Amino acid sequence: MSKKPLLEFNQFGIYCQQGDFYIDPWKPVNYAVITHAHSDHARWGNHHYLAHHLSKEILKYRLGDISLETLDYNQTIIRNGVKISLYPAGHIIGSAQVRVEYQGEVWVVSGDYKLEDDGISTPFEPVKCHSFISECTFGMPVYTWKPQQEIFKGINDWWYQNHQQGKTSVLVGYSLGKAQRILQNLNLDIGKVYTHGVIQNTHDALIKNGILLKETHKITASTTKEEIKGNLVLCPPSAVGTPWMKKLNPYSFGYCSGWMAIRGAKRRRAADRGFVLSDHADWHGLIQAIEATSCESVYLTHGYTASFSRYLREIGYDAHEANTLYGDENLEEEKGGET
């Protein structure tokens, strides 16, 4: 009889039967270990949560009054003989890979991750394991990222040009992770940074958790168009095409996403400029991360799972596709209204 795997996929999520816990469950469970606070990985309704301490305030902001336990990186707790520890994933602030060990067998669940040090998230740290459960959001060779310094030079140059022309620069990105990464790399010598309420609320939660962010100004009902003119506005994808955004005219609209690497993606989002900036690993990063684990088996949770698993098998890995509900980080971008 074959040995039962330490982690398995069921209708609730990634389950460890020996430890009786789930990792990033998509249905309510008793004990949930959370890789990061994006809403496709951290959902409401679990009885108890375990996450990295830098995710504490954002989880409370998004999920409300929850039973939450936090760990630091490289700290270990034990449930029913199973060792659980968190390691940096480099995806967003507080993101973690989950290492699970029992009787010498080690599995690692990556959550979402990237290898480039963005200067605000704790950089990715590879973890040796026997089995690696990995995302592959951008698991195609066409997705190869340029260094972020090059991308941010383009963003700051675009903002400066708009400023000179008396236009407001409206830059769109996810409220958690992308917005903070953008903010920390903006040149505030050009002007001020204004924020949509969703993004400012997210900033405030992270600041409450001890994160230091550059100064921003929340747009309210009393904020005038003249105040904003020539400056830069950070807003979430949910604001695109709404009356809130129309109030910012005249503006130039930029979109930050890894999907901007696809021909036509910028056009579909009606953006004036597309900036290829992703908080996920690119094709080479995924391969590098998997190689660094020295794993024997790989399970791919979301993204280009079919093609990427086929490629991994061709180069010698025992690779499998997993059916999960990850991949939509924008589930809660509406939270906080349009203020």
Side-chain angles (χ1 to χ4, degrees):
M1 184 180 294
S2 61
K3 181 182 177 183
K4 188 177 180 66
L6 181 57
L7 297 180
E8 56 189 334
F9 298 87
N10 64 27
Q11 69 271 31
F12 293 93
I14 303 170
Y15 183 54
C16 178
Q17 184 178 44
Q18 177 61 37
D20 191 22
F21 61 86
Y22 283 83
I23 300 171
D24 290 352
W26 45 83
K27 291 184 179 180
V29 299
N30 182 57
Y31 195 100
V33 182
I34 303 299
T35 60
H36 65 288
H38 275 149
S39 49
D40 57 327
H41 290 258
R43 299 177 187 245
W44 182 86
N46 299 302
H47 180 70
H48 185 76
Y49 294 78
L50 175 70
H52 189 267
H53 76 89
L54 289 180
S55 294
K56 178 182 177 181
E57 296 300 331
I58 195 66
L59 284 171
K60 289 168 63 178
Y61 160 61
R62 290 188 160 200
L63 302 179
D65 185 19
I66 58 174
S67 172
L68 175 62
E69 178 184 4
T70 62
L71 295 178
D72 205 344
Y73 294 126
N74 301 299
Q75 186 179 350
T76 301
I77 65 167
I78 299 176
R79 278 180 60 85
N80 299 336
V82 178
K83 296 179 180 179
I84 306 168
S85 49
L86 305 180
Y87 289 82
H91 176 54
I92 62 171
I93 294 168
S95 62
Q97 302 172 82
V98 180
R99 182 185 186 276
V100 179
E101 179 181 356
Y102 181 67
Q103 293 184 347
E105 183 180 0
V106 178
W107 287 59
V108 170
V109 179
S110 74
D112 292 336
Y113 63 93
K114 68 175 180 292
L115 273 61
E116 183 178 29
D117 181 357
D118 62 13
I120 190 167
S121 310
T122 306
F124 177 88
E125 182 179 326
V127 184
K128 301 292 184 183
C129 59
H130 299 100
S131 297
F132 187 46
I133 299 178
S134 174
E135 65 134 318
C136 64
T137 303
F138 292 103
M140 291 281 280
V142 67
Y143 297 110
T144 301
W145 312 143
K146 295 179 180 177
Q148 73 167 23
Q149 291 84 354
E150 186 174 336
I151 303 304
F152 283 116
K153 182 182 185 305
I155 290 173
N156 283 309
D157 287 348
W158 167 74
W159 179 16
Y160 179 76
Q161 290 166 9
N162 292 333
H163 176 80
Q164 293 296 96
Q165 296 169 13
K167 289 183 182 178
T168 298
S169 300
V170 181
L171 199 53
V172 175
Y174 287 127
S175 64
L176 176 59
K178 191 69 61 65
Q180 294 77 46
R181 184 181 181 188
I182 292 169
L183 174 62
Q184 296 306 89
N185 287 278
L186 290 175
N187 178 8
L188 299 194
D189 289 338
I190 299 171
K192 295 180 179 179
V193 177
Y194 286 83
T195 54
H196 184 284
V198 172
I199 288 181
Q200 191 59 51
N201 291 344
T202 303
H203 284 353
D204 291 345
L206 292 168
I207 290 168
K208 191 175 180 181
N209 223 136
I211 301 298
L212 299 177
L213 297 174
K214 289 182 177 179
E215 183 180 21
T216 57
H217 306 269
K218 180 180 176 180
I219 295 176
T220 67
S222 62
T223 306
T224 67
K225 188 181 295 187
E226 280 303 311
E227 287 179 66
I228 301 172
K229 187 177 179 180
N231 293 303
L232 186 141
V233 176
L234 291 175
C235 69
S238 61
V240 176
T242 65
W244 181 92
M245 192 161 164
K246 291 177 182 177
K247 291 187 299 185
L248 304 176
N249 268 316
Y251 64 78
S252 180
F253 162 34
Y255 207 111
C256 289
S257 172
W259 300 114
M260 291 296 112
I262 301 176
R263 186 182 300 273
K266 176 171 72 74
R267 213 162 38 242
R268 287 197 301 275
R269 288 169 171 81
D272 299 311
R273 286 288 300 271
F275 298 101
V276 183
L277 184 71
S278 177
D279 292 322
H280 296 262
D282 65 2
W283 167 260
H284 298 290
L286 289 166
I287 296 169
Q288 183 180 337
I290 290 167
E291 289 177 344
T293 68
S294 300
C295 65
E296 300 159 4
S297 299
V298 184
Y299 298 82
L300 302 173
T301 59
H302 59 293
Y304 291 97
T305 56
S307 56
F308 193 52
S309 62
R310 183 168 59 250
Y311 171 79
L312 290 176
R313 286 192 292 272
E314 288 173 356
I315 62 173
Y317 284 96
D318 176 30
H320 310 266
E321 294 179 65
N323 184 24
T324 70
L325 296 183
Y326 308 131
D328 187 358
E329 298 168 357
N330 199 24
L331 290 173
E332 290 194 7
E333 292 291 62
E334 297 291 344
K335 187 179 177 74
E338 291 185 353
T339 56

